[in-house]
Amino acid sequence: MPTRSQRLRRWLSRPDVRSDLVQILKSVLAAVAAWLVADTLLDLDQAFLAPWTALLTVHATVYRTVSRGTQAVLATSVGVVLAFAAVQVGGHGTLTLGLALLLAMGFARVGLLRHEGITVATTVLFVITASTDTSWSGLGDRLAATAIGVVLALVVNTVLAAPLRDESARQQVGEIDRGLGQLLRDMAAGLRDQADDAPTGDWVDRTRTLDRRLDSAWRLVYEAQESTWGNPRRRRASSSEELSRVLTRLEEGIAQVRGMSRLVHESAVAAEEWDPAFRDPFIELLDELGRRVEDPEADVQELRSWTDRLASDLSDGGLPDLRWPLYGGLIEMARAIITIVDDVATSEVVRSG
């Protein structure tokens, strides 16, 4: 049993955790540096706009910092100008604040500001309530603070460039593999124990959980590709194309396991009694398949001969015709899972992970 410190070290060694910690560090450093420059060094009015903009600008990758950061900067600048104009026209007061916020929320539905719309309103709220300075020099200070936040966010995100995310995506593929293997073994154990409709229904739900992990893996693969754009740490080609192929195959594998789970579930609901000539060797096949799917180094291809032998034995066994659609479907799904898992396991991105 691992100790708490061992579990902590293992958690900290995970690439996705390290990437998130780097993101947190970048955000904090950019915000603190922007505050020091705007407040301590330049003594700007409403210097908080500098760290505020820096936090909005720093993103997980260099590319996203530029693309999404541009929107955040535009939204902040619009908010600053809108607040200034509102105070110039209506002075400080509740009515001015309300009308300015109404206009700001309207801007939130327009073009580039759509994804950063609330930033416009939040900036208006901060600027109007935090200062009584209505001079043009005050407006210049606020825009300067915004520019400082942008510049320092870009500097920090370049110096501490976003790590390439291939390793995180590969780790997620491994977790999906292990989850798929464990599900197959649990299905075998359930069948061995004459599972009823309750646990078999849970198997279908677990395939949906694997689908959600797969969605997360797809996001990581996209970030792996995105993290190479404009990244000074890029030293090699991203493996995201191969990872995309692997995830597509895993999607097919999860779909096959879900189909198998549903067949077993429907059989359990109907209280069908499986023939021992099929049930026992199929459970053994399912358990061994799950065991090998959990281990990325294990060979699953030889299990194809198991499915061929099982189909051959059953065809000569004089089983009732009524059972053949069920048995044949399960055997074909097992064969498809073997092919998919073998394809995934032999991929370079999986073996190098």
Side-chain angles (χ1 to χ4, degrees), residues 14-339:
R14 290 177 49 173
D16 57 330
V17 173
R18 293 201 306 270
S19 180
D20 287 341
L21 291 176
V22 169
Q23 176 66 18
I24 292 171
L25 177 63
K26 288 191 303 182
S27 299
V28 171
L29 285 177
V32 170
W35 171 256
L36 289 174
V37 171
D39 182 66
T40 306
L41 187 61
L42 300 179
D43 193 27
L44 297 178
D45 179 52
Q46 294 189 331
F48 70 85
L49 287 169
W52 161 252
T53 308
L55 287 175
L56 293 174
T57 304
V58 173
H59 284 276
T61 64
V62 174
Y63 169 78
R64 198 174 302 176
T65 292
V66 174
S67 61
R68 291 296 301 273
T70 300
Q71 298 175 36
V73 171
L74 180 60
T76 303
S77 300
V78 168
V80 168
V81 173
L82 180 58
F84 177 79
V87 172
Q88 291 293 317
V89 173
H92 281 279
T94 305
L95 182 60
T96 298
L97 176 62
L99 291 175
L101 287 175
L102 183 63
L103 288 173
M105 296 303 292
F107 277 114
R109 304 294 186 269
V110 177
L112 287 175
L113 298 180
R114 188 175 293 111
H115 297 295
E116 296 288 344
I118 194 63
T119 303
V120 181
T122 306
T123 304
V124 166
L125 179 63
F126 285 167
V127 171
I128 291 180
T129 59
S131 176
T132 58
D133 186 354
T134 59
S135 66
W136 286 95
S137 62
L139 174 62
D141 279 3
R142 291 162 196 161
L143 292 176
T146 301
I148 289 168
V150 175
V151 170
L152 286 174
L154 291 172
V155 169
V156 168
N157 213 33
T158 301
V159 174
L160 297 177
L164 302 179
R165 305 297 291 261
D166 302 60
E167 189 180 356
S168 298
R170 284 198 299 270
Q171 180 192 52
Q172 195 80 341
V173 167
E175 291 179 357
I176 294 171
D177 266 341
R178 287 189 292 274
L180 200 60
Q182 186 60 55
L183 175 56
L184 289 169
R185 295 190 66 190
D186 288 347
M187 289 171 63
L191 290 171
R192 196 174 287 117
D193 296 336
Q194 301 284 351
D196 57 22
D197 61 310
T200 55
D202 178 64
W203 298 340
V204 177
D205 290 337
R206 285 173 63 181
T207 63
R208 297 191 181 100
T209 299
L210 290 172
D211 274 335
R212 288 192 289 272
R213 290 185 183 178
L214 198 65
D215 290 340
S216 176
W218 275 115
R219 177 180 57 80
L220 288 171
V221 167
Y222 178 76
E223 288 185 1
Q225 182 181 19
E226 187 183 276
S227 65
T228 64
W229 302 343
N231 192 334
R233 288 177 52 188
R234 181 181 182 181
R235 295 184 297 271
R236 57 181 173 81
S238 170
S239 57
S240 57
E241 184 175 340
E242 176 62 13
L243 281 167
S244 297
R245 189 190 70 81
V246 166
L247 290 180
T248 299
R249 295 296 279 159
L250 281 175
E251 280 182 337
E252 297 168 5
I254 293 172
Q256 292 292 341
V257 174
R258 180 181 295 118
M260 185 182 290
S261 301
R262 284 176 172 157
L263 276 181
V264 176
H265 177 66
E266 291 167 3
S267 178
V269 171
E272 293 179 332
E273 188 70 28
W274 289 14
D275 298 274
F278 170 78
R279 180 177 174 275
D280 295 339
F282 180 75
I283 289 173
E284 183 182 0
L285 168 65
L286 205 59
D287 184 64
E288 185 61 28
L289 177 57
R291 191 185 309 276
R292 299 192 188 193
V293 170
E294 284 184 290
D295 180 5
E297 299 298 325
D299 180 23
V300 297
Q301 190 58 35
E302 66 175 275
L303 296 182
R304 180 179 290 275
S305 62
W306 287 33
T307 61
D308 294 339
R309 187 166 58 251
L310 178 58
S312 177
D313 291 345
L314 292 176
S315 65
D316 298 331
L319 294 179
D321 292 342
L322 186 62
R323 293 288 182 270
W324 266 113
L326 172 64
Y327 299 159
L330 291 173
I331 290 172
E332 282 305 308
M333 287 177 185
R335 182 182 282 116
I337 292 168
I338 290 168
T339 301

